[in-house]
Amino acid sequence: MSVQKNDEQTRPSRRAPLIAAAVAIVAALTVTIAVGTNANDDKAAGSRGDAPVTEISGGSDSTKAATVLDRPFTKPDLVLTDTKGRKYDLREQTKGKPTLIYFGYTHCPDVCPLTMSNIAIAMKQLPKADQDKLQVVFVTTDPERDTSAELAKWLPAAGDPSFTGLTGDFAAIQAGARQIGIGIDPPKKENGSVVSMHGAQVIAFSPTTDQGYVLYGEDTTVDDYAKDLPKLIKGENP
């Protein structure tokens, strides 16, 4: 899980759990990793005590940014509020569309805006028709501060005006994140600053199956996304 702090505070580690998993893939044919593990998630989400797991194909190339999942995720059952204050049913409104989903917050000092920027820059390299197909959904992990209006101001600057920003009830957001193996904790104050802990993975959903079948870590570059997006838009493995 990545730890992200606003203002002067820095995160203890910028390395996602995915990096360790990538190393382990070299030594095993099949690897199972725990994503977003903590007791608070288990209590708040009201789910089973063990952590959500992602099974990674033993045939994956550990030098690639993309990790193709052996067991694709079902798209989260989330009904939240978009940047215009309207109800947004994630499953319904992204059905049959290539979709990237990321959980983060607008006061994040580094990883969140960098991730949105990298995707936006890579997307601009696509033909206009493909740009129109791609859905990028940013779900806040800090809904108390990230109102619809705040997301509407932040997303175009950090990413692209076409990106969808969602806010709503924290418990619902946390439960939705767990459905795709991402752990998040309620924001809390430490030394006068608000700390938000959340997994920094981007999950790509296929337009043909609506399943989340590819995972990207926080170190994914513009070039990585630019190379993979044409295939993701078609529902192909990168």
Side-chain angles (χ1 to χ4, degrees):
M1 177 181 296
S2 294
V3 179
Q4 313 191 14
K5 302 185 179 183
N6 65 336
D7 302 326
E8 311 84 55
Q9 298 193 24
T10 58
R11 304 179 309 115
S13 172
R14 296 194 60 226
R15 310 300 296 175
L18 177 63
I19 305 305
V23 175
I25 290 173
V26 178
L29 292 179
T30 303
V31 179
T32 301
I33 61 171
V35 182
T37 307
N38 62 69
N40 289 338
D41 279 345
D42 295 330
K43 293 177 181 178
S47 62
R48 61 198 180 111
D50 55 327
V53 295
T54 303
E55 290 199 5
I56 302 175
S57 170
S60 294
D61 183 349
S62 62
T63 64
K64 291 183 177 181
T67 300
V68 179
L69 306 178
D70 278 347
R71 294 185 180 179
F73 290 113
T74 298
K75 194 172 290 180
D77 185 12
L78 277 174
V79 179
L80 299 171
T81 304
D82 67 13
T83 54
K84 295 183 179 179
R86 300 175 303 195
K87 174 183 173 181
Y88 189 97
D89 186 321
L90 180 64
R91 286 183 176 175
E92 184 62 31
Q93 295 191 235
T94 62
K95 185 177 181 180
K97 301 175 182 178
T99 304
L100 303 181
I101 297 179
Y102 181 80
F103 288 80
Y105 66 116
T106 66
H107 290 75
C108 170
D110 41 35
V111 176
C112 299
L114 179 61
T115 299
M116 291 298 99
S117 176
N118 286 348
I119 294 172
I121 294 170
M123 187 179 73
K124 288 294 192 297
Q125 300 178 36
L126 294 169
K128 182 62 167 61
D130 284 346
Q131 291 184 38
D132 293 341
K133 292 176 184 176
L134 183 64
Q135 307 294 303
V136 180
V137 180
F138 180 93
V139 184
T140 182
T141 60
D142 184 12
E144 184 174 340
R145 291 186 296 174
D146 286 347
T147 61
S148 293
E150 186 67 23
L151 287 170
K153 289 188 298 182
W154 183 83
L155 265 181
D160 186 87
S162 69
F163 289 1
T164 298
L166 299 179
T167 188
D169 177 70
F170 177 83
I173 291 171
Q174 185 182 54
R178 276 191 65 88
Q179 290 173 31
I180 55 174
I182 295 175
I184 63 175
D185 284 346
K188 60 183 179 180
K189 287 187 176 181
E190 286 187 4
N191 300 321
S193 295
V194 176
V195 180
S196 180
M197 297 180 65
H198 64 87
Q201 296 83 13
V202 173
I203 309 295
F205 287 79
S206 168
T208 59
T209 65
D210 278 322
Q211 297 289 300
Y213 70 115
V214 182
L215 180 149
Y216 293 92
E218 65 181 71
D219 294 319
T220 306
T221 66
V222 171
D223 288 343
D224 293 327
Y225 284 118
K227 181 178 64 176
D228 290 357
L229 285 180
K231 293 182 179 179
L232 297 178
I233 288 171
K234 297 176 183 178
E236 300 174 352
N237 285 353

